[in-house]
Amino acid sequence: MREGDYLPLLQIALREDLGDSGDVTSQAVAPDGERAATLWSKDTGVLAGEEVFAAVFRAIDTDVRVRFALHDGAFLEKGQRVAEVTGRAVSVLSGERTSLNFISFLSGIATATRSLVMQARATGNAVILDTRKTLPGWRALSKYAVTVGGGRNHRQGLYDMVLIKDNHIDSAGSIAEAVRRVRARWGTRFVVEVECRSAAEVSDALAAGVDIIMLDNMEAEEIRREVQRIAGRAKVEASGTMTPERIPAVSAAGVDFISVGAITHSVRSFDFSLKIA
């Protein structure tokens, strides 16, 4: 993860929390001198976001020191000591909520991803992918957390691969024509994936020679039939309302990938607390 992936978002978060006056409560109440605070896990799951957690305090006060006892990817148990933050009390308190917001959300993503990865592995070899369904500005961080949880990133944006979806197909008139236009414009520069809503569209995508076929909103048995028919001529992704309950059956159907938007837009934040000793 690069600093540029999170620094603008971090600056926005601090500006909205501290405003022009800073933490007026802590400025009045916090004692002079250094204090140490401990980051505790109040939940069970996967840690993600240590770098941005520490960066919050550096942005407030370069003299604040953050030391992690555990690192991104570690499995946390409730009551576990995760990190220690040492510095001027007012600086530590000023960064408390913003730092927790970042690490809680990212650890929630990593935890949800890890759960789905384990479910998929239990019945098949499907790789869990994220999507572009991310909070604006949070994409790089959210997709980082997915990788910490054992998932893989799909496209980062509209610029790094071709994904021909229903509106593209309807606009072009057919899958064949949509793929033809892509090849005419870009040649083989980009991987080409096509969203298929029926067996007939899968046949059209195969005839067009696409790289990945997305089976959209199909039941597990229908997915199994299409995977057998595709027979390795393209990679296969399953998408559409991929809930934890559906993942095992879909993975068992033999797909290469399962894309899940919920892991970046609907996760429960991990519960941490930061306590001053």
Side-chain angles (χ1 to χ4, degrees), residues 184-208:
R185 177 66 182 270
W186 301 114
T188 59
R189 178 176 174 182
F190 297 106
V191 168
V192 176
E193 180 173 2
V194 173
E195 178 186 85
C196 295
R197 300 163 285 185
S198 66
E201 289 190 339
V202 171
S203 296
D204 291 343
L206 283 171

Side-chain angles (χ1 to χ4, degrees), residues 45-166:
V46 181
L47 174 64
E50 62 175 304
E51 183 176 335
V52 68
F53 177 89
V56 169
F57 293 103
R58 290 199 304 269
I60 292 171
D61 183 347
T62 57
D63 290 330
V64 174
R65 302 177 299 284
V66 180
R67 296 183 179 85
F68 273 84
L70 300 164
H71 300 285
D72 284 1
F75 193 83
L76 303 180
E77 299 287 353
K78 187 175 181 179
Q80 203 160 12
R81 177 180 171 275
V82 180
E84 186 173 274
V85 181
T86 306
R88 293 176 60 234
V90 67
S91 300
V92 174
L93 291 168
S94 295
E96 176 185 0
R97 175 42 51 198
T98 299
S99 63
L100 288 175
N101 285 347
F102 276 104
I103 202 167
S104 296
F105 184 57
L106 297 179
S107 296
I109 291 173
T111 298
T113 302
R114 178 71 60 84
S115 176
L116 297 186
V117 166
M118 298 307 293
Q119 289 176 331
R121 288 178 181 171
T123 57
N125 297 308
V127 173
I128 299 297
L129 299 178
D130 53 26
T131 72
R132 289 169 48 243
K133 294 178 182 178
T134 55
L135 294 172
W138 276 84
R139 183 166 298 169
L141 282 175
S142 297
K143 283 179 171 284
Y144 165 76
V146 167
T147 65
V148 172
R152 189 183 302 175
N153 296 150
H154 201 265
R155 55 180 178 164
Q156 293 292 324
L158 297 173
Y159 55 85
D160 57 353
M161 71 173 283
V162 170
L163 176 48
I164 300 171
K165 296 174 70 69
D166 53 355

Side-chain angles (χ1 to χ4, degrees), residues 1 43 52-53 73 80 140 149 152 170 179 185 199 215 222 244 247 253 275-277:
M1 182 168 51
D43 221 332
V52 68
F53 177 89
Q80 203 160 12
R152 189 183 302 175
D170 295 341
V179 174
R185 177 66 182 270
L215 304 177
E222 186 178 5
I247 294 293
K275 293 294 186 181
I276 288 183

